[in-house]
Amino acid sequence: MKKLFVLLFIASVIVACGGESAGGESKANPPSKMAANTTDIDAKKIWKIRCMACHGLNGNQGLNGAANLQEVDISLEERVAIITNGKQGEKGVMTAFGEILSPEEIEAVAKHSMTFNKSL
Ligand code: HEC
């Protein structure tokens, strides 16, 4: 009688463990794919929303004292710094975008601003 009780106890432990591991497996869902992807940044769209009002669609509008980006030949690093911190130009002030755009967005739109000067 005692032997049977021990066997029943071992059997119930095995069943309990089996049930638990099956439950654990069903909880292991694949991770969500909602994380932001920096390659999805649309630099052209940022340009139209944030920059076009002064620089124009093709960079040469020159409104509010904005530089003609078809003639500007400064480096990507200098552009990122100016877009982040703004610039006091001779004829106007460029807005600082450091608290408006993410670093990834600033780099993307800085690269886009280099496409206006065809000699680069
Ligand atoms: C409020 C008007 C205004 C807006 C909006 C604006 N800019 Fe400017 N931007 C200027 C002015 C003014 C200057 C300085 C011109 C100068 O150097 O005399 C300038 C300068 C620059 C320069 C550097 C040119 C140089 O030779 O130093 C870059 C690059 C630039 N802007 C890119 C951008 C980008 C990219 C955006 C959008 C994220 C943007 N700008 C939005 C007005 C603006």
Side-chain angles (χ1 to χ4, degrees):
M1 189 62 203
K2 209 178 174 192
K3 233 178 185 177
L4 183 65
F5 184 79
V6 169
L7 275 175
L8 275 173
F9 178 77
I10 290 168
S12 71
V13 166
I14 290 167
V15 168
C17 286
E20 210 170 279
S21 85
E25 263 168 55
S26 75
K27 271 183 224 152
N29 292 322
S32 161
K33 292 204 172 86
M34 291 297 285
N37 185 348
T38 52
T39 59
D40 286 345
I41 293 172
D42 187 344
K44 232 175 177 171
K45 192 173 167 189
I46 298 171
W47 176 264
K48 284 182 186 168
I49 295 169
R50 305 288 184 182
C51 322
M52 200 173 78
C54 295
H55 290 281
L57 182 61
N58 300 310
N60 64 345
Q61 199 97 41
L63 294 173
N64 301 313
N68 181 350
L69 295 176
Q70 292 187 3
E71 288 166 1
V72 167
D73 60 0
I74 58 174
S75 69
L76 179 64
E77 290 71 29
E78 288 172 292
R79 286 165 200 257
V80 167
I82 288 167
I83 296 163
T84 304
N85 304 314
K87 181 180 175 182
Q88 172 69 65
E90 278 171 43
K91 289 176 252 161
V93 181
M94 158 113 176
T95 323
F97 287 92
E99 290 181 0
I100 298 168
L101 300 172
S102 71
E104 292 81 16
E105 289 172 324
I106 288 175
E107 193 181 322
V109 83
K111 278 182 186 157
H112 182 68
S113 79
M114 298 188 85
T115 64
F116 300 123
N117 186 339
K118 300 300 173 205
S119 71
L120 285 180

